Amino acid sequence: MTLCIIPIYALLGGASLSLLRASGMVFIANLMRLLGVRTWNSLNSWSLVVLVNLLVNPAVVFSLGAQLSYLLTLMILIAPKLSDIKLGVYLNLLSLPLILWQTYKWNLLTMALTILIIPIFEWLILPSVVLGTMCHWLRPLCNQVLTACSLGFVLLKRLPMEVVFGKPPLIIVCFWLGLTLLLLVKPKKRLVICLLLTYGLTFMMIHLPLTSEVVYFDVGQGDATLIRDKFNRTVTLIDTGGKVAFTKEKWQVRQSKTAGQTVIANYLLSKGVGQIDQLVLTHQDSDHVGNFPSLSQVITIKQIFIPAGMEKLPSFQGRVRQARLSQTKIWPVTVGNSATLRQVKLLHPFTAGKGTNECSLVLWYNLKRTSYLFMGDLDRANELVLLAKYPNLTATVLKVGHHGSKTSSDPRFIGKIKPQLVIISAGRHNRYGHPHPVTLATLAAANIPYRLTAQRGMIKIETDFFGTKLVDFAQQTGTSSFLD
């Protein structure tokens, strides 16, 4: 009867990885008992389920749910008899490396809740469900108990107990897992000290990097660039990317994560960065600012800089209402009125406007012998105005305006700036035909190499004690040739 019921239960329960693992182990154990195999044990069932799962779906090894389910089950099978508190501690120690590797964050309440959740479930939640189902006159009381439990978990979630750790190296993750399993078998004080020491050193290594970087994110047809100083002294994000939104009925809107969350926020969290010191939104277009509200739900934003006049636009005001900006300051800026802007120098606009392409913020950044110029969507006419205002303006790396459109990158402007490398941010097979052949011809005529995010993916330029290195993530190769 059990052999017949277990597969049906697994399917009706949602067939999640953890449920399939548990159901598979029970099914195999009962099957072996029915066949009279007396030497079979739980560890054999666990091993067989792992092998079958890997044969059917090898990619499951990359899933956090599968990693935790199989590893924690293995720990319970091989661990000596432990009290509930010790078991909870070891479960947390074993899951922590995997959680940090996958999510880069850790909630300080996790260990306490892991220990308390079993008695809460056994003494409150389960009795309330059973009594409320069987005794209708107890349902109001049981509902109140369940509501109180739910509200308690919601309030705990809101507490500022989450620590952004960052992504530890894989070799360190394996070391932590091995050391924890060794500690489980042979609990010794020096192993605990070694474990705590490596966690502390890894945290410092991630949060106090010795390199500075400029990262051109691949966010599709949009713009997003990160400037991060060594030791994470100042973190500046220029635009957030986003999709052009069309009016839709409520039922047509899909609830999905944006590139601001899956690309930008994940990268920042992996580097131990939970706060953006300066978010610079160059102008109003959705492909530059559309991901700003969703990004703010994950990463704290300290200050926002926009071209003066853009703060009056209903579209921008709507995004501000959607964002999480409890203590964020918004600064409308122009040249000569940007004293609070650090790390980068503002070159444009000179007067207040309406947040259009012609009003785009233009930024210049210098690090050692490498200078960077970020053009937003500035048009050709204002590129020449910029040259007239700054006749000696040059840049080692130029991020061309408007995704390489023919409306930007005037040949006279390119010839005067004389960049050693051009970055173009554009989406694969985009409907606008960016970058335009005219722009590519301008770069070819000036003998200037370029990198396109649609081909290269995320592009990063790192600077450390040894020099500056360009990394193409699509090819996973590093080179310094653009500075030669």
Side-chain angles (χ1 to χ4, degrees), residues 43-307:
L43 195 57
N44 291 337
S45 299
W46 179 91
S47 302
L48 184 56
V49 170
V50 170
L51 289 173
V52 171
N53 207 334
L54 290 175
L55 285 172
V56 174
N57 182 17
V60 74
V61 72
F62 298 108
S63 165
L64 177 60
Q67 292 170 2
L68 292 176
S69 180
Y70 284 112
L71 187 60
L72 298 183
T73 304
L74 175 62
M75 191 210 79
I76 293 173
L77 292 176
I78 67 175
K81 187 65 176 178
L82 298 172
S83 64
D84 289 344
I85 294 178
K86 285 187 177 180
L87 181 61
V89 170
Y90 276 110
L91 287 174
N92 276 273
L93 286 177
L94 202 59
S95 62
L96 180 56
L98 296 175
I99 292 175
L100 293 181
W101 170 255
Q102 297 273 15
T103 70
Y104 327 126
K105 298 183 290 184
W106 177 254
N107 195 303
L108 298 178
L109 293 174
T110 301
M111 186 170 293
L113 287 176
T114 302
I115 297 171
L116 293 175
I117 192 64
I118 294 177
I120 290 174
F121 183 82
E122 290 181 347
W123 299 343
L124 293 176
I125 297 176
L126 186 59
S128 297
V129 172
V130 174
L131 292 174
T133 303
M134 301 181 66
C135 305
H136 70 277
W137 54 275
L138 283 177
R139 286 178 187 174
L141 177 61
C142 293
N143 281 333
Q144 289 181 3
V145 173
L146 294 174
T147 302
C149 291
S150 178
L151 181 61
F153 288 127
V154 171
L155 293 176
L156 287 174
K157 182 181 178 182
R158 293 177 180 175
L159 293 176
M161 302 296 288
E162 197 168 63
V163 176
V164 176
F165 189 97
K167 186 174 184 177
L170 182 57
I171 189 171
I172 297 295
V173 172
C174 296
F175 174 79
W176 286 338
L177 292 174
L179 196 60
T180 303
L181 290 173
L182 183 61
L183 185 63
L184 179 66
V185 179
K186 295 181 179 180
K188 293 184 178 180
K189 187 176 180 180
R190 63 171 177 263
L191 293 179
V192 177
I193 295 174
C194 182
L195 194 63
L196 295 176
L197 188 62
T198 52
Y199 271 108
L201 291 175
T202 304
F203 182 85
M204 291 180 62
M205 179 185 72
I206 295 173
H207 284 254
L208 299 173
L210 300 178
T211 61
S212 300
E213 63 180 16
V214 177
V215 180
Y216 302 90
F217 290 110
D218 179 15
V219 289
Q221 183 60 26
D223 264 13
T225 307
L226 173 70
I227 302 175
R228 186 167 66 99
D229 285 341
K230 63 180 180 180
F231 308 129
N232 285 337
R233 287 178 301 194
T234 305
V235 177
T236 299
L237 180 66
I238 305 171
D239 289 330
T240 64
K243 294 182 178 179
V244 177
F246 299 97
T247 304
K248 293 182 179 180
E249 296 291 337
K250 192 173 183 179
W251 63 270
Q252 293 177 304
V253 178
R254 295 183 179 181
Q255 298 298 326
S256 60
K257 291 186 177 181
T258 68
Q261 296 166 300
T262 59
V263 177
I264 302 173
N266 275 352
Y267 182 82
L268 290 171
L269 293 173
S270 72
K271 299 299 181 180
V273 176
Q275 173 180 285
I276 296 173
D277 299 308
Q278 302 179 145
L279 173 59
V280 181
L281 302 176
T282 57
H283 62 294
Q284 66 169 339
D285 287 358
S286 295
D287 58 341
H288 288 252
V289 302
N291 291 335
F292 145 57
S294 60
L295 177 64
S296 70
Q297 304 296 327
V298 186
I299 302 291
T300 301
I301 300 174
K302 198 171 180 181
Q303 298 183 97
I304 299 176
F305 295 87
I306 59 174

Side-chain angles (χ1 to χ4, degrees), residues 216 223 225 238-239 282-283 288 347-349 356-364 372-387 393 395 397-404 408-410 413-414 417 422-423:
Y216 302 90
D223 264 13
T225 307
I238 305 171
D239 289 330
T282 57
H283 62 294
H288 288 252
L347 303 182
H348 188 272
T356 59
N357 290 357
E358 294 77 15
C359 304
S360 287
L361 297 181
V362 175
L363 303 169
W364 187 83
Y372 304 81
L373 189 58
F374 310 93
M375 299 300 297
D377 275 359
L378 197 67
D379 62 317
R380 287 193 174 202
N382 281 288
E383 287 177 347
L384 300 180
V385 172
L386 204 65
L387 286 182
L393 180 63
V397 183
L398 170 66
K399 188 170 188 296
V400 294
H402 209 180
H403 321 285
S408 300
S409 304
D410 188 285
F413 178 77
I414 298 296
I417 298 299
V422 159
I423 304 293

